[in-house]
């Protein structure tokens, strides 16, 4: 790949503060310290343009300690888990995250990354959710963003972190504190400066065929659809304990409690959850995950990493 480098230099200043500064949401303080860059989608051209217009404006607010100027995008292993930058994010997220808040934070991941479209390579895990909180499908997510903003403010005082990285790591931590698998997320995602197109998230009323088609448009298989749907095991959907990440979701799906007349059991799950168990291909994976929590954990981990890397533009670290 040939790189076109603009005359602008990406700058970064890192300092410490004695106390937390007041941060307005979405935080607007970072852009003044960095040059705005624009990328073409990978399938649009073999060249990467830093200075010319493209589908999406991105800002390098994920540049850890900025030893080199931003000249391009790195692959998904940009900055591996275990680095001190990752550990700082993890530590601060743990300070603000609880089991009661885990489901909302995990939902934030799905609604940010879920805008990805594989055909035109737009949307995805880019932090644009912070500009989309007024949309009906994102109702209730302001609270989760405010929770993470507290941690982000403290992290930014040490090292700038993008919203995309922040949300990806926080979602993984939400899964782990509820008893789910440990998921280590690479860092280096760039944030979008504009909201993603509307109408990209799967609707709750979709049947299995439409759900599979929707996920295919995001580069996700039927297996990954079923594995990621297991995230509904935590929260208020009615699948087992709301604070325990396990394979209860699949066991309950097989029981079909919503078919009972009246009572709370009829309120369990969404129509899209109910649809999965009526599809033969989905049912095959539902049975596997109901039988083996270890298999579910392993497949969820892989699908989660694929989800949070979808549509990502990576900074050069």
């Amino acid at each position: 790949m040939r790189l076109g480098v603009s005359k602008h230099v990406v700058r970064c200043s890192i300092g410490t503060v004695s106390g937390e500064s007041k941060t307005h949401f979405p935080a607007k303080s970072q852009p003044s310290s960095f040059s705005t860059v624009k990328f073409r989608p990978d399938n649009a051209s073999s060249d990467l343009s830093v200075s010319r217009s493209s589908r999406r404006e991105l800002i390098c607010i994920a540049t850890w300690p900025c030893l080199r100027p931003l000249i391009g995008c790195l692959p998904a292993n940009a900055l591996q888990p275990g680095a001190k930058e990752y550990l700082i994010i993890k530590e601060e997220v743990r300070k603000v995250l609880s089991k009661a808040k885990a489901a909302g934070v995990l939902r934030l991941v799905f609604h940010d990354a879920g805008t990805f479209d594989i055909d035109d390579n737009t949307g995805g895990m880019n932090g644009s959710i912070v500009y989309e909180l007024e949309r009906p499908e994102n109702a209730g997510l302001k609270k989760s963003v405010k929770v993470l903003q507290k941690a982000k403010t403290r992290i930014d005082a040490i090292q700038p972190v993008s919203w995309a990285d922040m949300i990806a790591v926080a979602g993984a931590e939400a899964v782990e504190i509820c008893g789910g698998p440990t998921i280590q997320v690479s860092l280096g995602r760039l944030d979008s400066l504009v909201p993603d197109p509307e109408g990209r998230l799967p609707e709750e009323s979709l049947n299995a065929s439409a759900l599979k088609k929707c996920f295919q448009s995001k580069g996700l298989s039927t297996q990954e659809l079923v594995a990621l749907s297991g995230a509904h095991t935590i929260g208020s959907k009615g699948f087992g304990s709301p604070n325990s990440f396990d394979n209860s979701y699949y066991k309950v799906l097989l029981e079909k409690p919503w078919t009972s007349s009246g009572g709370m059991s009829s309120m369990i799950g969404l129509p899209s959850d109910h649809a999965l168990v009526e599809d033969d291909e989905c049912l095959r994976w539902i049975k596997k995950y109901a039988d083996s929590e270890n298999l579910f954990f392993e497949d969820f981990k892989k699908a989660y990493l694929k989800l949070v890397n979808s549509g990502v533009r990576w900074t050069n670290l």
Side-chain angles (χ1 to χ4, degrees), residues 140-161:
L141 288 179
K142 281 185 180 181
K143 185 181 297 184
S144 298
V145 171
K146 287 180 180 179
V147 169
L148 296 187
Q149 178 70 77
K150 296 177 183 177
K152 188 177 186 301
T153 298
R154 290 195 289 264
I155 297 167
D156 281 336
I158 305 170
Q159 57 193 26
V161 58

Side-chain angles (χ1 to χ4, degrees), residues 109-152:
V109 176
F110 281 73
H111 283 231
D112 190 35
T115 58
F116 179 59
D117 187 281
I118 196 170
D119 289 334
D120 61 10
N121 196 27
T122 60
M125 199 74 203
N126 56 22
S128 67
I129 187 69
V130 300
Y131 304 110
E132 301 157 7
L133 296 174
E134 299 301 327
R135 295 178 182 178
E137 64 269 28
N138 294 330
L141 288 179
K142 281 185 180 181
K143 185 181 297 184
S144 298
V145 171
K146 287 180 180 179
V147 169
L148 296 187
Q149 178 70 77
K150 296 177 183 177
K152 188 177 186 301

Side-chain angles (χ1 to χ4, degrees), residues 17-34:
V17 294
S18 58
E20 292 184 17
S21 59
K22 184 176 181 181
T23 302
H24 297 284
F25 176 80
K28 297 287 188 178
S29 58
Q30 294 294 340
S32 61
S33 297
F34 299 90

Side-chain angles (χ1 to χ4, degrees), residues 162-193:
S162 68
W163 268 110
D165 276 349
M166 191 75 194
I167 294 170
V169 174
E173 292 303 301
V175 169
E176 186 174 354
I177 67 170
C178 288
T182 298
I183 306 174
Q184 296 185 322
V185 178
S186 297
L187 301 178
R189 294 165 187 78
L190 292 168
D191 274 346
S192 172
L193 293 179

Side-chain angles (χ1 to χ4, degrees), residues 64-138:
W64 317 99
C66 291
L67 299 178
R68 290 177 288 176
L70 176 68
I71 58 173
C73 299
L74 290 184
N77 60 354
L79 184 61
Q80 293 300 313
K84 67 175 183 178
E85 293 86 357
Y86 181 85
L87 297 178
I88 290 172
I89 298 174
K90 183 182 176 81
E91 179 183 356
E92 293 300 332
V93 166
R94 285 292 180 117
K95 291 178 182 178
V96 300
L97 191 59
S98 65
K99 288 185 177 181
K101 298 172 183 175
V105 169
L106 188 54
R107 180 170 168 245
L108 198 59
V109 176
F110 281 73
H111 283 231
D112 190 35
T115 58
F116 179 59
D117 187 281
I118 196 170
D119 289 334
D120 61 10
N121 196 27
T122 60
M125 199 74 203
N126 56 22
S128 67
I129 187 69
V130 300
Y131 304 110
E132 301 157 7
L133 296 174
E134 299 301 327
R135 295 178 182 178
E137 64 269 28
N138 294 330

